[in-house]
Amino acid sequence: MRKFLLRQPPLLLLLMAFAAVAREREPNVRNVYVRDDPKDEAKRVYVTGEVVTVLRFQQPCDPERTKMLGWEGRFEPVQCAGKSVLIVPLQDLEPEDRFLLLVTLTDGKELPFTVTATGKKERERPDQQVNVFLDPETREALQAQLKDARTRAQLLEEASRRHWKEDTEDHALARFLAKDSLRLTPLRARKRWYFKNKGATIEATVLTGKAKAAVLFHVTNSDPTRPWSLSGARLLTTRPGEKAPVLFGEAKPFALQKDWDELGPGASGSLAVVVDKSAFTSREGPCDLTVELYRQDGLLETHILLDRRLVRE
């Protein structure tokens, strides 16, 4: 059965969705510390097509002696503006692309950098600004190191909290489903839906088991140029006849697992949502639930209604 949906979320939902992806849209400012050691590798700079990346130094650079090798046709000419160097790729780079950027400061010091494509790891997001410190003892460098240390501590705390939170039976089931290991779970398929939207084609399979319900989403990025990623998901109580997006439902806990960060053009991946029987009860009594998935721009990509009768057994 095919179902084609046109979704135009109201302003309230858009504001809620954009708030959910606010962190992803924060400027990616990174600090690097260059030691005067010939054994050190050139620092990497991660760029993306048609987006300016700025390298910021503690002293002015020399425009005549700052250059990138092999930039023709792939970048705009590298520009020096005071203490800043501007890099503008004309298009996305391939993962294997490497370009040597040699920045020369006005005191004659030469600093090599490797300009490359973004990757899947958190530290390989596109750089919007890279602050380069040569002397680690200056006030600015010490302040940057303190900020970096606080950020690392916060990330470790979040990872620890997330690991503790996801150490549950529901998350274990979701991990098996996301890795296409349905046969290793007690869940069985009940219904299957197909959604073909502008940016993605999604196959959604509703699963049931003893006191559990789940949805396995198989997502294919149908955009020929842009990656697809998940900005967030919601599980909300739903009144009879109510349609997504659900604006006033009660939020319920759920387990979500996937083993990818984003899907390139034409790529596919799976993600799984597992719901415990207890979630099908609201303040008013037994209720249905709606699973909503939001894509990277904050818009609703797809939704699935979970009937309370799925977990009656």
Side-chain angles (χ1 to χ4, degrees):
M1 179 177 181
R2 290 187 174 272
K3 192 172 184 180
F4 302 90
L5 301 179
L6 178 63
R7 301 179 180 82
Q8 295 180 340
L11 179 59
L12 175 60
L13 182 61
L14 283 174
L15 293 174
M16 293 167 63
F18 282 129
V21 297
R23 181 175 177 179
E24 294 186 5
R25 298 194 172 194
E26 291 178 356
N28 187 25
V29 179
R30 191 162 58 91
N31 302 314
V32 299
Y33 306 90
V34 180
R35 296 181 300 173
D36 193 9
D37 187 341
K39 296 181 181 180
D40 281 355
E41 295 183 358
K43 301 295 182 181
R44 291 195 175 191
V45 180
Y46 299 97
V47 300
T48 190
E50 299 182 343
V51 175
V52 179
T53 296
V54 179
L55 273 63
R56 181 72 177 168
F57 299 87
Q58 292 178 287
Q59 59 177 284
C61 61
D62 184 343
E64 298 298 326
R65 292 185 292 171
T66 294
K67 55 189 177 181
M68 182 187 297
L69 300 182
W71 65 270
E72 293 85 352
R74 306 294 297 276
F75 295 82
E76 293 184 5
V78 173
Q79 299 290 329
C80 287
K83 298 180 181 180
S84 300
V85 173
L86 281 62
I87 306 170
V88 186
L90 298 176
Q91 60 189 19
D92 289 342
L93 304 185
E94 297 298 327
E96 65 274 10
D97 286 340
R98 302 289 186 272
F99 294 88
L100 177 63
L101 171 65
L102 185 64
V103 176
T104 303
L105 304 179
T106 51
D107 65 359
K109 187 173 183 61
E110 295 181 339
L111 303 173
F113 297 89
T114 299
V115 180
T116 187
T118 58
K120 294 184 178 181
K121 298 179 181 179
E122 175 68 19
R123 65 177 181 274
E124 296 175 355
R125 292 169 50 205
D127 288 316
Q128 291 176 269
Q129 180 170 315
V130 179
N131 299 318
V132 182
F133 296 98
L134 303 182
D135 184 353
E137 302 300 326
T138 62
R139 185 184 67 177
E140 293 83 1
L142 291 173
Q143 288 176 338
Q145 292 176 64
L146 178 60
K147 183 178 180 180
D148 287 345
R150 288 174 174 170
T151 300
R152 286 194 297 269
Q154 181 181 356
L155 292 175
L156 287 173
E157 182 180 352
E158 291 176 355
S160 177
R161 188 183 301 114
R162 184 168 57 252
H163 178 75
W164 176 82
K165 182 179 179 182
E166 295 182 357
D167 187 19
T168 67
E169 177 186 352
D170 289 354
H171 281 90
L173 284 174
R175 278 191 288 272
F176 279 118
L177 294 175
K179 293 181 180 296
D180 294 327
S181 298
L182 174 61
R183 67 186 183 281
L184 300 179
T185 76
L187 302 172
R188 295 295 178 265
R190 289 283 296 272
K191 296 181 180 179
R192 186 169 283 112
W193 301 84
Y194 294 90
F195 302 88
K196 188 173 183 180
N197 303 325
K198 183 178 180 181
T201 300
I202 300 176
E203 177 184 345
T205 304
V206 176
L207 308 159
T208 60
K210 186 176 181 179
K212 303 290 181 185
V215 186
L216 176 60
F217 296 94
H218 186 73
V219 184
T220 299
N221 181 6
S222 53
D223 192 304
T225 59
R226 297 181 180 180
W228 190 98
S229 60
L230 181 73
S231 70
R234 301 197 303 166
L235 179 68
L236 301 171
T237 58
T238 307
R239 300 179 180 88
E242 187 175 13
K243 297 182 179 180
V246 179
L247 296 182
F248 304 107
E250 178 185 349
K252 290 293 185 175
F254 61 96
L256 185 150
Q257 291 290 325
K258 57 184 178 65
D259 57 2
W260 47 269
D261 293 321
E262 68 176 21
L263 301 173
S268 299
S270 297
L271 67 93
V273 171
V274 174
V275 182
D276 185 75
K277 180 180 180 179
S278 60
F280 288 86
T281 302
S282 68
R283 290 182 290 267
E284 291 77 23
C287 63
D288 298 332
L289 298 171
T290 296
V291 180
E292 297 178 346
L293 298 185
Y294 291 85
R295 66 192 191 202
Q296 65 275 5
D297 57 7
L299 295 180
L300 179 65
E301 184 70 73
T302 192
H303 69 274
I304 291 291
L305 177 67
L306 300 179
D307 192 293
R308 73 192 79 173
R309 292 172 292 182
L310 289 171
V311 291
R312 275 186 175 178
E313 63 272 14

